[in-house]
Amino acid sequence: MKKTALLVALSLCLFANKAMAQIDTRVITTAVPFLMITPNSKAASMGETGVATTPDANSMFWNPSKLAFVEKNSGLSISYAPWLQNLVDDVNLTYISGFYRLNSNSTIGASLKYFTLGSITFRETAEEEGYHFNPNEYAFDVGYALKLSKRFSGGLSFRFIYSDLLGNETASNGDAASAGTSLAADISAYYTSKTFDFQGKDARYKIGMNISNIGNKITYSTSGDEDFIPANLRIGSSLEIDIDEYNAVNFALDFNKLLVPTPPLSTEEENPFDNTGVIEGIFNSFTDAPSGDSELREINVSLGAEYWYNKQFAFRGGYFYEHETKGNRQYLTFGAGLKMQVLSIDLSYLVPTTTDVHNPLKNTLRFSLNFDLDAFRSNAKTAG
């Protein structure tokens, strides 16, 4: 029952593919896939780009080193996303992230990502009553960003991961189920250019990189197999252009690759990387594509664009592409933002462009609330 329950729970996290017999699929799967879900609506509406965009409270997920260049002294963001809302109403993702500037060169940040999988009934057979359990997962992060030069910064963050998918159930083979835990780290870098002339307009470009979830494998039983967590490499760039006093546009491009071994073609084949260590697996992930496959297929591409009017109203769009043999997630994203003195609101919406994948966020409106704590304190002093 343990393995059955685990598969049921993970199916709520992963994008379920229809059978494609004519395509040799090698979808890379890991434990705790919720770590890779885009938490905030701004990035979600821009095709899931964020490693090199303007720093904000959500930089803890995308690229902690961006926080060294954040303009405010402190900020907070709260995001919420229903999951599989066309099927259930009690599965959702909540994300809280914030930062505090220590001085002109360094900033600390923290975040909490909580994923609840609703209520699931576990049974040994269809006839028995079984018991109800509420699987849940969370990750708590702390990070530090430091300017290494006037234009370049580095970041380091640490993450505690907790995944309770089975409760205290005992499997039929006698193994005691337990919550899975892991410790992981992120290493990131960020560069922002000087303002330069672009077709007569002021412009800036940014480059970012984040290697995330470098951590130990996870297991859900006292003697069960260990699974990789989703170590990941994300690199990208962005371009900001000030059209005039009231209008500005941003463009972003991200490349994303899981740093875990590629599974064999057939589920009946023995995976040669089952006993591979975490660091060895990261290096092997660049060269382990089986015959007939390609490492380039494992790179997901995200494109995003954003238009601002008077620094108050934003309209966004984007596109996410994943190769058909690696999951075939392909979709358009749309969104909008409204910025006020203390509070800003971001909304996002996803439209799949392929029918081969059941996307759990289809027809789902996600939102984020962002708080400018500097402005809040300033208003409080004025009112006092």
Side-chain angles (χ1 to χ4, degrees):
M1 182 167 71
K2 179 188 69 175
K3 290 186 177 179
T4 301
L6 178 59
L7 291 175
V8 170
L10 290 180
S11 69
L12 295 176
C13 305
L14 300 172
F15 298 100
N17 291 13
K18 291 183 179 179
M20 294 181 288
Q22 71 277 17
I23 299 176
D24 293 336
T25 60
R26 292 188 178 93
V27 179
I28 300 175
T29 59
T30 68
V32 290
F34 83 101
L35 293 177
M36 297 300 296
I37 300 174
T38 295
N40 63 309
S41 294
K42 176 182 176 180
S45 64
M46 295 177 64
E48 302 192 11
T49 57
V51 73
T53 52
T54 303
D56 57 22
N58 294 293
S59 296
M60 278 297 298
F61 175 81
W62 295 100
N63 183 348
S65 65
K66 295 198 301 181
L67 291 175
F69 287 94
V70 72
E71 295 181 353
K72 303 294 183 178
N73 290 318
S74 58
L76 177 71
S77 178
I78 302 174
S79 301
Y80 175 81
W83 198 256
L84 287 170
Q85 68 169 9
N86 293 329
L87 298 177
V88 293
D89 59 4
D90 58 355
V91 180
N92 56 74
L93 176 75
T94 303
Y95 184 70
I96 302 174
S97 183
F99 68 88
Y100 178 79
R101 177 174 290 283
L102 298 176
N103 51 53
S104 60
N105 292 321
S106 59
T107 306
I108 57 174
S111 68
L112 174 66
K113 194 175 193 179
Y114 180 77
F115 190 54
T116 175
L117 287 85
S119 179
I120 296 178
T121 301
F122 293 86
R123 295 185 176 94
E124 288 288 356
T125 65
E127 292 75 20
E128 71 175 26
E129 182 178 351
Y131 76 99
H132 299 283
F133 178 64
N134 297 98
N136 65 89
E137 303 174 294
Y138 68 82
F140 177 71
D141 306 1
V142 292
Y144 176 74
L146 176 67
K147 285 185 180 179
L148 301 175
S149 71
K150 188 176 181 180
R151 301 290 173 188
F152 180 74
S153 66
L156 181 65
S157 62
F158 297 94
R159 176 171 302 111
F160 173 73
I161 304 162
Y162 179 88
S163 177
D164 191 3
L165 300 180
L166 304 173
N168 297 320
E169 180 58 31
T170 300
S172 57
N173 62 3
D175 289 348
S178 63
T181 60
S182 179
L183 295 175
D186 297 357
I187 301 173
S188 57
Y190 182 68
Y191 175 83
T192 179
S193 74
K194 297 180 180 179
T195 299
F196 62 94
D197 180 79
F198 182 83
Q199 301 294 317
K201 312 295 182 183
D202 288 342
R204 294 159 296 279
Y205 69 86
K206 300 175 173 63
I207 301 172
M209 179 202 72
N210 186 22
I211 304 176
S212 59
N213 301 318
I214 307 171
N216 60 285
K217 295 181 181 181
I218 200 168
T219 182
Y220 293 93
S221 71
T222 54
S223 60
D225 296 332
E226 293 184 324
D227 296 307
F228 285 97
I229 65 174
N232 185 76
L233 169 65
R234 186 185 298 272
I235 58 175
S237 62
S238 68
L239 175 65
E240 302 177 355
I241 304 173
D242 298 328
I243 299 175
D244 55 36
E245 183 180 358
Y246 296 100
N247 301 278
V249 292
N250 303 322
F251 302 97
L253 171 65
D254 281 12
F255 298 96
N256 186 77
K257 185 186 188 304
L258 282 173
L259 302 181
V260 295
T262 304
L265 175 60
S266 172
T267 56
E268 298 179 356
E269 296 180 41
E270 181 180 354
N271 193 332
F273 303 108
D274 281 342
N275 297 319
T276 301
V278 172
I279 301 302
E280 183 182 1
I282 289 175
F283 285 101
N284 285 343
S285 67
F286 292 98
T287 59
D288 64 358
S291 176
D293 203 350
S294 171
E295 294 292 344
L296 294 178
R297 293 180 178 179
E298 297 180 1
I299 299 176
N300 299 335
V301 182
S302 300
L303 294 168
E306 177 183 48
Y307 165 75
W308 278 98
Y309 174 73
N310 200 27
K311 298 182 180 180
Q312 286 186 303
F313 305 99
F315 299 94
R316 305 179 178 109
Y319 180 71
F320 181 91
Y321 173 82
E322 181 179 61
H323 195 272
E324 60 183 359
T325 63
K326 300 300 178 180
N328 204 27
R329 290 176 296 159
Q330 300 174 27
Y331 46 84
L332 294 168
T333 60
F334 303 93
L338 172 63
K339 186 176 182 180
M340 295 170 279
Q341 187 174 9
V342 175
L343 173 69
S344 63
I345 303 173
D346 295 320
L347 303 174
S348 65
Y349 193 78
L350 183 150
V351 179
T353 58
T354 175
T355 60
D356 293 328
V357 174
H358 300 292
N359 197 303
L361 290 171
K362 180 181 179 181
N363 300 326
T364 299
L365 187 65
R366 293 184 277 177
F367 68 89
S368 298
L369 302 178
N370 309 289
F371 299 90
D372 184 342
L373 300 184
D374 292 356
F376 179 81
R377 283 191 291 266
S378 178
N379 288 349
K381 288 181 181 180
T382 301

